[in-house]
Structures are given as C-alpha cells and as structure tokens.
Amino acid sequence: MGPAFRVRSIDFREMFDDLVRAWGGESLVARFDEPTQAWMFIGVHSTVLGPAMGGTRMKTYDAPAEALADVLRLSTAMTFKQAAANVPYGGGKAVLAVHEISERGSAKRALLLERYAGLVESLHGTYVTAADMNTGAADMDVIGGSTTHVLGRSREAGGSGDPAPSTATGVFHGVVASVERAFGSPDLAGRTILVQGTGAVGGRLVELLSDAGATLLVTDVDRERAHDAAGAVGGGVVEPDAVIGTACDVYAPCATGGVLSATSIPKLRCAVVAGAANNQLAEPADAERLRESGILYAPDYVINAGGVIHLAGYETLGWDDAQMAARLAGIGQTLRNVFDAAEHEGITTAEAADRLALARLDAGPAG
Ligand code: NAI
C-alpha cells in the first residue's frame, strides 16, 4: 500500500464514519463492481412504511465518497417523500458511480445494469428501484430482466412507463393550491408563472398551466426547447441566468436543485415558489429566508410526489386512471394542510412538511 493510498483511505475512513453515523438510515450496501469498474451504493434509509423505494442515479463523481454522500442524502429525502405522499413505501436510493455515462442501448450499459440488478435482487425486495437522473424506462426494462424489484419499466414490458406526466399533474395541483393561499383565489387566469426547465416535467407543466389560463414565461439552458415550449402556449422566453430577478406571480423550478439560497432569495420577485425540482433549498435555513421574505414555498418533496404516486399507484396498488387522477389532485390538499400547519404553528412550510412525514412514520404502516 503506497503512502498516497494510505492518506486517501484514512480520509475516507473518517468521512465514512461521520457520514454513516449522521445518516441514521437502516442499511447501506456498497459494492465495487470489478467487471464494470463502477461503485454501486444502495441506501435503505427506512422500511417503516414499506420496502425502501427510490430511483437509481447514474453519475460520474470525482471520488466514490461523493457518491456515498449522495446516496445517503437522497435516500433520506425519499423516506420523507414517500411518507408525505402516503404510499406504502419507505425511503431508499441507489447511485451508480461510473467513469462515463455509457450510451443508451449499448452492451456496456446493459452489463452495468444487469450486474446492478443482481445486487438489487440480492436484497430480496428490501429495496425497490426505479429511474432517476440518467436512467429511464428502457434501463428499468433491462434491470427487470434480473429482478422483480423494479418499478417504472416501459408499458410494453409491463410497467407503468415514465412517471413525469404524473409528476407534472401533481405540480399543477400544487401550483393551484399555492396560488389560492397566496392570492385568495385558485384561478390561474391572469397569473404569470415562470417555469425553469422545460424537460419531461416542466414541458408538460407549461401546457397544463396554459390550459388553465396562466400566462407563461419559460427558460431552459436548451434554448430551442425553451422556444418550442413558449411558442406552443404563446409564452415568453427568459434567459437562464435572468430567472431569479424576473417578476412573476409563481416561480416553478423544474430543472436543478439548490436554486433557493441566501444569494438568490433576496432577489426573487415572486409571491410563490412551487415547482418539481428536487432539493430546491441550498440549505435548510433557506426555508426561513423565504418565510421572512413573504414568499410562500411549496415544499419540493410534497409537490413533486406525483412520480412516486404514479409508480406505487399503478404498479403496486392497481389503481385505474380515475383513482390516479384523484390522488394526484390530493397533492393540492396535502399542501393546503401543510400551509395551515405552518401558519398555526408559526413555522416554515418546509418544517410543517417534515412534521407531517414524521407523524406518518410514527403512526406506522396504514391498515
Ligand atoms: P429533464 O432532464 O427531462 O428536464 C430538465 C430540463 O431542465 C432540461 O430541459 C434541461 O435542459 C433544463 N435545465 C437544466 N439546467 C438548467 C438551468 N440551470 N436552467 C434552465 N434549465 C435547465 O428532467 P425532469 O424529469 O423534467 O425533472 C425536472 C426536475 O424535477 C428535476 O430536478 C427532477 O429531479 C425533478 N423530479 C422529476 C420527477 C420526474 O417524474 N421526472 C419526479 C420528481 C422530481
């Protein structure tokens, strides 16, 4: 063992100890997969409400320790999301830390997914996987060849397909509930809504909001995508770096996390933040910054739960479209309850959402 490796291993040991102790989850599975040279981490944060369910993120990292930190953080967030969504799942997440994202449909990618599926299968259902960043329904189909503990396969392969449209529908109901709370009426006519990111979720959200009478502003680092989305609904395009200072009634982050921070919040010119992106707050204190600024924040994991509701509802609970529509609309009611609790307790909406999730965890599985 060379000195450089020793230094790295000591650093890693200390960091590992700190991270995993602070995590408080149930179990962590780590594999260095020799044939693919990938690190595979599965974080089973909680099975209190059911098997730990959450997506598989495929990503390149500077060091495996960063992938480990990600899986711990993301699996914790999934416990809160599943509990707030009231589905029979606990929180889990997986990270495949790879040297490069191999091409979709390639033999290299298939090998990685098959070996990873074997790891999922070895947990006998304690962890149930789904798609996340850089993975999609086609990847779930491959994983489904080696394990049954996977949700979100394509419809052709017997799954429920891409959950993004359901996520968009849930966010739409969340925007309506937030507008109602901030302006005293749920009517979107005459409200200006800025959608940041017009991908799978944001693109559909733009359509739903426009159909309900809202005026749309859109932005995307992919300029063509932004122009197409805006053109389809007669909306305006905002430059990606001008989002924070742009006046609007509702800012809907649907691209990346960390957009609400000590730097961005004082510059916001909106009454409501309600969008699909995960981890919108750069740090927990940002929830209080928003409250002090008089901006109503729809907690991210509550408003964007349409994806897990889609997977659990269609694939585990056997719901039909009408039941799904009702449960996605229920995201609006969950938010109203969160807003009420925040007002009554004099706490942030983020804390009120956490309390709701923790109460469900305390109560244990339904029925
Ligand atoms: P996507 O990858 O289809 O779309 C993201 C869009 O944002 C892309 O068009 C991309 O070009 C754009 N973008 C990236 N960085 C940007 C920036 N700085 N400024 C403006 N645009 C930017 O992703 P998807 O599925 O629409 O998800 C959007 C967000 O919602 C993500 O944060 C995701 O984690 C979250 N989410 C998605 C769910 C789903 O069902 N797809 C479920 C829950 C959360």
Side-chain angles (χ1 to χ4, degrees), residues 57 81 132 162-164 167 196-202 219-222 225 240 254-257 276-278 304 307:
R57 177 163 295 197
K81 181 185 289 202
D132 192 68
D162 183 3
T167 304
Q196 179 182 37
T198 52
V201 178
T219 187
D220 200 297
V221 287
D222 181 333
R225 198 175 271 182
C254 297
T256 56
N278 279 313
N304 74 14

XYZ file of all heavy atoms in Angstrom, residues 57 81 132 162-164 167 196-202 219-222 225 240 254-257 276-278 304 307, ligand 1:
239
model
N -29.616 6.549 -9.583
C -28.936 7.682 -10.223
C -27.631 7.190 -10.821
O -26.822 6.567 -10.120
C -28.681 8.750 -9.164
C -27.910 9.955 -9.658
C -28.062 11.113 -8.697
N -29.447 11.579 -8.640
C -29.833 12.768 -8.156
N -28.936 13.589 -7.669
N -31.101 13.116 -8.144
N -40.412 11.868 1.351
C -41.308 11.999 0.193
C -42.384 10.903 0.200
O -43.571 11.185 0.028
C -40.504 11.926 -1.116
C -41.386 12.091 -2.338
C -40.666 11.915 -3.665
C -39.734 13.056 -3.980
N -39.440 13.157 -5.429
N -34.037 7.440 -12.265
C -33.641 8.744 -11.705
C -32.729 9.403 -12.738
O -32.749 9.034 -13.921
C -32.949 8.543 -10.352
C -32.780 9.846 -9.583
O -33.791 10.415 -9.154
O -31.625 10.310 -9.416
N -43.031 6.155 -18.052
C -42.410 7.359 -17.491
C -43.376 8.073 -16.532
O -44.476 8.460 -16.949
C -42.050 8.288 -18.664
C -41.340 9.548 -18.208
O -41.069 9.680 -16.994
O -41.066 10.405 -19.068
N -42.969 8.289 -15.280
C -43.886 8.958 -14.344
C -43.924 10.475 -14.486
O -44.711 11.139 -13.806
C -43.322 8.566 -12.968
C -41.879 8.290 -13.202
C -41.740 7.814 -14.616
N -43.094 11.048 -15.382
C -43.003 12.520 -15.463
C -44.347 13.221 -15.695
O -44.615 14.245 -15.060
C -41.986 12.926 -16.534
N -45.999 13.493 -12.473
C -45.326 14.489 -11.637
C -45.802 15.879 -12.016
O -46.111 16.709 -11.151
C -43.792 14.391 -11.811
O -43.393 13.048 -11.505
C -43.052 15.351 -10.899
N -38.942 27.110 -14.903
C -37.496 26.968 -15.161
C -37.203 25.504 -15.482
O -37.292 24.648 -14.597
C -36.720 27.392 -13.910
C -35.212 27.272 -14.041
C -34.520 27.656 -12.731
O -35.014 27.359 -11.639
N -33.381 28.300 -12.835
N -36.873 25.226 -16.746
C -36.628 23.843 -17.155
C -37.870 23.308 -17.847
O -38.908 23.107 -17.209
N -37.783 23.114 -19.167
C -38.953 22.629 -19.911
C -38.683 21.220 -20.431
O -38.864 20.915 -21.596
C -39.309 23.585 -21.068
O -38.123 23.821 -21.849
C -39.822 24.906 -20.557
N -38.207 20.363 -19.521
C -37.938 18.960 -19.860
C -39.209 18.130 -19.709
O -40.322 18.612 -19.974
N -39.021 16.885 -19.265
C -40.158 15.954 -19.187
C -41.262 16.497 -18.284
O -42.443 16.415 -18.625
C -39.666 14.597 -18.687
N -40.902 17.047 -17.133
C -41.918 17.554 -16.207
C -42.315 18.986 -16.574
O -43.490 19.293 -16.751
C -41.417 17.499 -14.739
C -42.478 18.089 -13.813
C -41.088 16.076 -14.334
N -41.307 19.871 -16.691
C -41.594 21.286 -16.949
C -42.358 21.508 -18.246
O -43.267 22.343 -18.316
N -37.933 29.118 -19.344
C -36.498 29.177 -19.597
C -35.927 27.769 -19.611
O -36.476 26.861 -18.974
C -35.784 30.017 -18.517
O -34.421 30.185 -18.891
C -35.823 29.329 -17.161
N -34.850 27.590 -20.370
C -34.157 26.305 -20.381
C -32.757 26.567 -20.949
O -32.599 27.419 -21.840
C -34.894 25.286 -21.271
C -34.500 23.859 -20.940
O -33.310 23.502 -21.100
O -35.369 23.091 -20.485
N -31.764 25.869 -20.419
C -30.416 26.030 -20.985
C -30.391 25.525 -22.429
O -29.544 25.924 -23.217
C -29.333 25.325 -20.129
C -29.065 26.085 -18.842
C -29.713 23.879 -19.835
N -31.315 24.649 -22.737
C -31.514 24.227 -24.120
C -32.472 25.256 -24.756
O -33.699 25.182 -24.591
C -32.125 22.813 -24.123
C -32.355 22.263 -25.522
O -32.539 23.069 -26.464
O -32.365 21.020 -25.673
N -35.440 24.197 -26.891
C -36.521 23.595 -26.105
C -37.389 24.685 -25.476
O -38.600 24.626 -25.465
C -35.882 22.714 -25.026
C -36.799 21.714 -24.423
C -36.051 20.818 -23.474
N -35.497 19.654 -24.120
C -34.829 18.701 -23.471
N -34.594 18.809 -22.183
N -34.365 17.656 -24.111
N -31.688 31.923 -19.147
C -31.497 31.083 -17.952
C -30.903 31.846 -16.756
O -31.289 31.598 -15.620
C -30.529 29.996 -18.442
C -30.778 29.902 -19.905
C -31.153 31.279 -20.370
N -38.090 23.682 -12.224
C -38.274 22.319 -12.745
C -36.998 21.860 -13.463
O -37.073 21.142 -14.473
C -39.459 22.272 -13.708
S -41.028 22.674 -12.958
N -35.854 22.313 -12.969
C -34.596 21.924 -13.622
C -33.657 21.305 -12.575
O -33.658 20.087 -12.388
C -33.967 23.135 -14.293
N -32.898 22.152 -11.911
C -31.898 21.643 -10.967
C -32.233 22.066 -9.537
O -33.052 22.959 -9.320
C -30.509 22.215 -11.313
O -30.623 23.642 -11.324
C -30.033 21.739 -12.662
N -31.536 21.453 -8.580
C -31.739 21.797 -7.169
C -30.881 22.994 -6.768
O -30.172 23.580 -7.589
N -41.150 21.427 -9.533
C -40.852 19.994 -9.439
C -39.443 19.649 -8.968
O -39.201 18.531 -8.511
C -41.041 19.363 -10.814
N -38.500 20.568 -9.099
C -37.098 20.194 -8.848
C -36.915 19.636 -7.442
O -37.566 20.084 -6.492
C -36.193 21.408 -9.050
N -36.050 18.654 -7.321
C -35.691 18.113 -6.011
C -34.683 19.035 -5.338
O -33.924 19.720 -6.014
C -35.060 16.719 -6.183
C -36.108 15.635 -6.351
O -37.079 15.578 -5.606
N -35.905 14.771 -7.335
N -43.731 17.478 -5.617
C -43.247 16.665 -6.743
C -43.446 15.161 -6.534
O -42.824 14.358 -7.216
C -41.785 17.009 -7.079
C -40.784 16.479 -6.072
O -41.104 15.639 -5.233
N -39.545 16.947 -6.166
N -44.600 11.454 -9.103
C -43.834 10.340 -9.680
C -43.935 9.074 -8.828
O -44.219 7.989 -9.352
P -35.421 16.630 -17.584
O -33.979 16.285 -17.625
O -36.366 15.988 -18.523
O -35.594 18.217 -17.760
C -34.796 19.153 -17.105
C -34.714 20.354 -18.022
O -34.037 21.407 -17.320
C -33.925 20.102 -19.301
O -34.662 20.581 -20.399
C -32.630 20.892 -19.095
O -32.099 21.391 -20.305
C -33.113 22.002 -18.202
N -32.086 22.647 -17.378
C -31.038 22.092 -16.743
N -30.350 23.016 -16.057
C -30.991 24.200 -16.251
C -30.788 25.510 -15.785
N -29.778 25.814 -14.970
N -31.644 26.474 -16.197
C -32.675 26.195 -17.013
N -32.917 24.946 -17.468
C -32.100 23.961 -17.093
O -35.861 16.369 -16.044
P -37.326 16.173 -15.480
O -37.655 14.735 -15.409
O -38.246 17.114 -16.184
O -37.139 16.658 -13.972
C -37.032 18.040 -13.652
C -36.790 18.195 -12.158
O -37.861 17.578 -11.424
C -35.517 17.515 -11.653
O -34.986 18.286 -10.583
C -36.008 16.196 -11.115
O -35.159 15.693 -10.104
C -37.343 16.600 -10.537
N -38.291 15.498 -10.445
C -38.641 14.785 -11.557
C -39.543 13.762 -11.458
C -40.000 13.011 -12.657
O -41.005 12.254 -12.552
N -39.338 13.141 -13.799
C -40.123 13.368 -10.141
C -39.725 14.232 -9.057
C -38.819 15.231 -9.217
